[in-house]
Amino acid sequence: MTITPPALSVFETLESEVRSYCRGWPAVFDHARGSRLHDEDGHAYLDFFAGAGSLNYGHNNPVLKRALLDYLERDGLVHGLDMATTAKRAFLESFQNIVLRPRDLPYKVMFPGPTGTNAVEAALKLARKVKGRESVVSFTNAFHGMSLGSLAVTGNAFKRAGAGIPLVHGTPMPFDHYFDGRVPDFLWFERLLEDRGSGLNHPAAVIVETVQGEGGINVARAEWLRALQELCERRDMLLIVDDIQMGCGRTGGFFSFEEAGITPDIVTLSKSISGYGLPMSLCLFKPELDVWEPGEHNGTFRGHNPAFVTAAAALDTYWADGQMEKQTLTRGEQVEEALLAIAAESGDPQARFRGRGLVWGLEFGDPARASAVCSRAFGLGLLLETSGPRGEVVKLLPPLTISPEELDEGLRILARSVRETA
Amino acid sequence: MTITPPALSVFETLESEVRSYCRGWPAVFDHARGSRLHDEDGHAYLDFFAGAGSLNYGHNNPVLKRALLDYLERDGLVHGLDMATTAKRAFLESFQNIVLRPRDLPYKVMFPGPTGTNAVEAALKLARKVKGRESVVSFTNAFHGMSLGSLAVTGNAFKRAGAGIPLVHGTPMPFDHYFDGRVPDFLWFERLLEDRGSGLNHPAAVIVETVQGEGGINVARAEWLRALQELCERRDMLLIVDDIQMGCGRTGGFFSFEEAGITPDIVTLSKSISGYGLPMSLCLFKPELDVWEPGEHNGTFRGHNPAFVTAAAALDTYWADGQMEKQTLTRGEQVEEALLAIAAESGDPQARFRGRGLVWGLEFGDPARASAVCSRAFGLGLLLETSGPRGEVVKLLPPLTISPEELDEGLRILARSVRETA
Amino acid sequence: MTITPPALSVFETLESEVRSYCRGWPAVFDHARGSRLHDEDGHAYLDFFAGAGSLNYGHNNPVLKRALLDYLERDGLVHGLDMATTAKRAFLESFQNIVLRPRDLPYKVMFPGPTGTNAVEAALKLARKVKGRESVVSFTNAFHGMSLGSLAVTGNAFKRAGAGIPLVHGTPMPFDHYFDGRVPDFLWFERLLEDRGSGLNHPAAVIVETVQGEGGINVARAEWLRALQELCERRDMLLIVDDIQMGCGRTGGFFSFEEAGITPDIVTLSKSISGYGLPMSLCLFKPELDVWEPGEHNGTFRGHNPAFVTAAAALDTYWADGQMEKQTLTRGEQVEEALLAIAAESGDPQARFRGRGLVWGLEFGDPARASAVCSRAFGLGLLLETSGPRGEVVKLLPPLTISPEELDEGLRILARSVRETA
Amino acid sequence: MTITPPALSVFETLESEVRSYCRGWPAVFDHARGSRLHDEDGHAYLDFFAGAGSLNYGHNNPVLKRALLDYLERDGLVHGLDMATTAKRAFLESFQNIVLRPRDLPYKVMFPGPTGTNAVEAALKLARKVKGRESVVSFTNAFHGMSLGSLAVTGNAFKRAGAGIPLVHGTPMPFDHYFDGRVPDFLWFERLLEDRGSGLNHPAAVIVETVQGEGGINVARAEWLRALQELCERRDMLLIVDDIQMGCGRTGGFFSFEEAGITPDIVTLSKSISGYGLPMSLCLFKPELDVWEPGEHNGTFRGHNPAFVTAAAALDTYWADGQMEKQTLTRGEQVEEALLAIAAESGDPQARFRGRGLVWGLEFGDPARASAVCSRAFGLGLLLETSGPRGEVVKLLPPLTISPEELDEGLRILARSVRETA
């Protein structure tokens, strides 16, 4: 595939140097359907990235599209601040009936603004307000967002350096497997909490991803999550699960923490919650934590009604029964099987893979290899990204609605890319 | 009008107590066209709030709607991270040709995430990175957003208290007119800067709104803005104009700072930039400030392509010539004239009004009166909100596309509401 | 005078570059009596600096010396942590009977460690603990110390830069005369406090020097101090007077704030409190503020008993009646009269002088001139230092016990130095 | 022993509630010689606390006393800011010839103010200035002082709470033995440093005590200290040894780190450096770190010349040869032997003891027992204090000059106190 350099010119001349994905995927994309994107030169790309987890139901999902077009065509209210609207009501009712009630989750729902970092900022503000303490514990290789509150609990040193101020009030603790089982879980964290001389400021909350996506597809075990919840209760800290990337069915169940049987105090959702790639986020919390004053947190785009419409349609369509979860786990097995072979044949003795549901990571010893694999895959028409602190992990994040054939096609391209970069 | 209480129930039972606008406007809105919203009970409301300035071209503007539907119908890429897309290119080209070039503005364009606070966070990060200093000066009654970076430069004590941590690295300075002309402009600020013993940490940047919307429709004079720019240059500080609410034509020109003839180092845009109420924001800066590393700031919804589509359509439709600016100023005169009479007949000797273009404020001595006016106006079918540190200012922010007749209708309702609350 | 370079060698080779006074006064001092120091080469120097205000009773004051020698000879306890000792009791009783009771001051006494910055740190900690707020207001050109808490409320940019971290939680306000009367007192401060949208974090306390020594001998008017106290009461902020340099009789009364008739909530004392130049400091506060838990603040040298001995002797000798205050004011008049002539004949139209009691400043338009005057004075056997943000003020701080003749001698050397540097 | 309540009255009525030692030792002390203090009622107390390590040469050591009296009698300069003086020169020369040269230590010497916390603040400022980074790593149960900079690297939660602001820029790491050998040394610390996604801000420095006194007499192994030094070098962090309590011979060698054969980048000394209990402290650092500007850090009592005199006398008397070190180690063996029996007979299966040189800790399972032991010992005429995060450790810190007979006497009282509290 050749990309005519002039085609990129306005991006190069006018857009900031901060742009990044467009560098690894040097095409000008135009339209997309299901698991495939198309660039303006007519090339098609199979999508194993799904908008960083924002497109769990694929691109321009026809059911959601119909609901969206209907809403827009009839001049449904688009921008609604935090006004009551029929679209918001429909969403809230679906969310309550399809998501919360069947799982016995008691949460209040907050619309904190349409992006993940808005939800994380709201969660942290609320936790600090409730507990009257500033400190928050996060985990090694966590990713929670780019605004200053979220960035302070994000691990990546390169992103942190962009803050321009010292990031404080956060303390990292080792995520599950950080020492490959050589150290008992929470040994360090618990000891710091119980020792009045440890120097740890007593945290208001702990924020955790059940599977760290940006951090390299690090999967926390269910028992680790349960022990964390127990520790939070015992030591008077709120447990925040940031389910922005791993929620909305990515790992199988609607929430990624369901498998562990825990009930976090606060949950953040975004990315695939609208189902159509439209900006939307939620902050959920136990009712007794709803100590907000009216308007104490606000934001212009909290009421993005087209997103409520597609979000309700997605819940109604995919989550009214257990089919989606079942299908995701089946697809996951398909991926796992393929990765087993790919890793074994990779020629890299350090190659490892891990995942849950439809999020998987293939780790190489050398980050350059991971990067080369993605680059080769792009040339072969497959969108893949790296993650991990050194970019050493190839991340597989296909739409949940991908067909077994498409999945197989992508896995074969991946296998070939691994082979050809050995 | 009567609102059946059960109609609100899911909002009351499930949505967080943080919700606010829905309390002042107790209706369930359903659809909207141009300057009017309609609730599910069939009542119509004339909109003098315009989504807090996000709907400058009215609700579901037909030209933008057509472009949006076309794009969605043809499965144009919706979610694009920061990938190059045809929709983004079309927007960038329109923005360059219609906005930047004719005004001789040299800016690079960054998509920092889809909300205003994303843009402010990016602006502050960039300024600090460029200057290697942490401190930023903001102004009394400034409003820049709710995430921790933006909140630290926001004045409102109630919002600030929600942070849960001490907000530092920001220092407030008096906005224009803060002492009603009794003190020379920038006397305090300049003295602090020149005095090596003042205790002011040398700021990396100054962030300012040309008209403070949330702060009470405080209008900075052009000469004040010019003097501020000059001070920033002389004292090695970057000038950031937060044009999120006042840009996109609200005050007449596309940028609110055009009238003053200044060229800020960094500009933030959001709210009406998409034109259709869709989440989108921009951070603009002089090319020499574009020191970002690729990916140093990121975010899931930076590439909200439907918003690019409506944004390009809005620019092409309304800004290719000077008609919109002219019309806004004319409408503004209509408002001013009406306010002159309304204030005079208000019975409140402290009543004052002020504004520019199509943003106006009517201040009362007693905040309760302002609140009562908005409440009465709602009963009469007009959406109005208060602003100002004590909520003492009734804010007029109609769509720029409002017809003279609609404007007159709304002003008459306002006049009646003022009369009936005397 | 010639200084043999080798004589300084161990200072140059072994002592850190941070040393400063020894650079302006290149002699090796050996002994001292009253108002005179003697170097090892037999040169005598009249002291117009008095250990930066630590030697109000002169060097090796014979009465205090006798008490000190008696105590040491009889093996009185030297190091006492915060144990009860007979020496501490004698000091506390003298302090209560001679200082507090006659002035009707209700203070509790805390020994926070032996240096001024220990006392300021304790004062700030206590104020924040009492009010539950972090922010503290200080004034332009304030000096409160070099440890991080004190440095954050110190104005000097050069000293602040040494912190190595951003100094936060402090906000500077204009000291008295900062705008030469062009702006009403506290206009800015009060407006920030009353405006809920100002962006000022509500301060726990205000810390002020009645006369800023390091800041350039800036003398606050009594009415300004009274208005400040009134403002603190009205706005629920504690008033801390840092009387480290200006207390112990420097301005006439024992406390520098007596003249204004105010009663600060917290007072810090150090420098001349021991009377003999021995490290000692006090933090005084109203009894209702004594919310410390036992040991919540500690320090190894809080119980420096030889200092208690000389401190008690100084109080008993000099403060049992009003003679010291009267004498200081008389000496002050002598200085003022001389400075009137010196400034007039200085040839510098910008030359100004100001002071109270026995602290005076002679300001020049050009800092180089102030520096030259001190340098010339040193050559003529007079120790003088500069102060002010640019070092533009020659500071006169002779011992309070100086004789009229010595004072006259010093003033004549100063006059000559000014003449010879014209 | 009975204490007449009125005797304490001025302490109770006038002194702040913050006082602490006087509560555990309810006597009014008057004089002291060698290892014994005497109260005003004629009772004698053997001193196993030595001014928290400030009286390594005993109370009113006759050799030092003679030097001090001579100096004061001849009117040697007492207060000298940072001027060159004959007393300072003599001290610097002794320090160079007796301490630095024989140990091949290249340090520059800074007088940062007379207390330990002044020295720590200076060390932290310098490290941050040199590295241009804010973060500092300290250890669990560290104690470095009470001013805000030092307190931020101190572990004790009770002391930290006194700050009144969130203490940031410090991160605690596990001290040696923190996990009783179950976890490899520095596993967590090193992993955080090498992982670019760990979330640890890269530290400018690491600050450590070789034996944690306040923290409970936790003794770091020599190999742990060597590994720490190596880690600091490898990861570009400065190593600061806070030798305030453990230096000046407390553990045997002059510096406590000599045994480990390391050369810290920065060393703080205070407490026993003056030898006579007079306030004095030093900050030592490698010459290449001496980037201070003249006067960038200052303080009124940096030049406490009587302390220089006794400090020089102490070095000349006790450190010109290796006798002191040898004697301390011998006395240490005497203590160790006694503690072995005392712990065994304590009836507390959790009783443990540990120490080096002449600093030892006897830990009980129940803090109340430790407290009871000290209280009983006081009644029997022995001064002992507890330490550790829960006060569970009885701390033995006798003067280094104690005779074997006195040491035995004290150990017997301790043994009896332990027995009688079983």
Side-chain angles (χ1 to χ4, degrees), chain D residues 138-161:
Chain D
S138 57
F139 291 94
T140 50
N141 289 298
F143 182 91
H144 299 292
M146 287 290 108
S147 49
L148 287 188
S150 308
L151 191 52
V153 289
T154 288
N156 190 286
F158 166 62
K159 307 278 190 206
R160 289 173 73 84

Side-chain angles (χ1 to χ4, degrees), chain B residues 104-168:
Chain B
D104 238 343
L105 292 169
Y107 298 131
K108 295 293 284 286
V109 176
M110 174 186 183
F111 299 96
T115 74
T117 200
N118 294 139
V120 171
E121 294 269 344
L124 295 175
K125 283 162 79 166
L126 184 63
R128 285 165 168 149
K129 182 176 158 83
V130 166
K131 290 296 178 192
R133 302 193 292 264
E134 299 88 6
S135 181
V136 170
V137 156
S138 57
F139 290 94
T140 49
N141 290 297
F143 181 91
H144 299 291
M146 287 290 107
S147 50
L148 286 189
S150 307
L151 191 52
V153 290
T154 289
N156 190 287
F158 166 62
K159 307 277 190 208
R160 291 174 72 85
I165 58 162
L167 294 171
V168 298

Side-chain angles (χ1 to χ4, degrees), chain D residues 345-397:
Chain D
E345 296 162 14
S346 69
D348 178 353
Q350 295 178 272
R352 293 188 296 173
F353 66 96
R354 52 190 176 256
R356 260 183 74 198
L358 266 175
V359 52
W360 290 85
L362 175 60
E363 180 179 336
F364 292 95
D366 181 357
R369 177 78 180 279
S371 178
V373 166
C374 292
S375 182
R376 184 72 193 109
F378 178 76
L380 296 168
L382 177 70
L383 298 187
L384 274 178
E385 251 299 341
T386 59
S387 72
R390 300 176 304 134
E392 73 276 24
V393 179
V394 173
K395 185 159 141 184
L396 284 74
L397 212 64

Side-chain angles (χ1 to χ4, degrees), chain C residues 2-84:
Chain C
T2 43
I3 304 297
T4 326
L8 277 173
S9 60
V10 77
F11 303 111
E12 288 170 347
T13 58
L14 193 59
E15 202 180 341
S16 165
E17 293 301 321
V18 81
R19 67 194 190 281
S20 60
Y21 289 106
C22 57
R23 298 172 192 264
W25 300 333
V28 178
F29 296 94
D30 182 69
H31 58 282
R33 276 178 209 102
S35 306
R36 271 183 226 274
L37 294 88
H38 302 266
D39 72 15
E40 63 178 350
D41 295 323
H43 301 102
Y45 303 84
L46 192 57
D47 190 357
F48 265 33
F49 194 56
S54 300
L55 295 161
N56 284 0
Y57 313 107
H59 291 267
N60 297 311
N61 181 296
V63 183
L64 280 55
K65 175 178 171 178
R66 192 61 264 150
L68 176 61
L69 288 174
D70 287 350
Y71 189 76
L72 294 171
E73 279 161 4
R74 75 169 184 82
D75 287 332
L77 191 79
V78 167
H79 183 281
L81 294 159
D82 68 355
M83 289 139 74

Side-chain angles (χ1 to χ4, degrees), chain B residues 261-340:
Chain B
I262 62 173
T263 304
D265 297 293
I266 305 180
V267 179
T268 56
L269 283 179
S270 184
K271 293 200 187 265
S272 276
I273 184 65
S274 83
Y276 207 71
L278 303 177
M280 174 173 170
S281 87
L282 298 179
C283 186
L284 313 174
F285 33 81
K286 293 182 175 168
E288 63 268 28
L289 304 181
D290 191 12
V291 299
W292 289 113
E293 297 288 324
E296 196 174 2
H297 179 97
N298 64 16
T300 295
F301 295 113
R302 282 166 299 159
H304 183 204
N305 284 275
F308 298 160
V309 169
T310 54
L315 296 180
D316 296 347
T317 308
Y318 292 103
W319 294 98
D321 61 27
Q323 286 310 307
M324 175 56 89
E325 176 167 4
K326 205 176 295 179
Q327 175 182 308
T328 298
L329 297 176
T330 306
R331 296 277 186 286
E333 287 164 18
Q334 187 180 346
V335 175
E336 188 170 16
E337 200 172 334
L339 288 178
L340 186 62

Side-chain angles (χ1 to χ4, degrees), chain A residues 21 25 29-32 37 47 49-56 58-60 114-115 245 270-280 383 397, chain B residues 71-72 75-85 87-88 114 299-308:
Chain A
Y21 288 107
W25 300 333
F29 296 94
D30 181 68
H31 58 282
L37 294 88
D47 190 358
F49 195 56
S54 300
L55 295 161
N56 284 0
H59 291 267
N60 298 310
T115 73
Q245 193 170 51
S270 183
K271 294 202 188 264
S272 275
I273 184 65
S274 83
Y276 208 70
L278 303 177
M280 175 173 168
L383 298 188
L397 212 64
Chain B
Y71 189 76
L72 293 172
D75 288 332
L77 192 78
V78 168
H79 184 280
L81 293 160
D82 68 355
M83 289 140 73
T85 67
K88 188 197 270 192
T300 295
F301 295 113
R302 282 166 299 159
H304 183 204
N305 284 275
F308 298 160

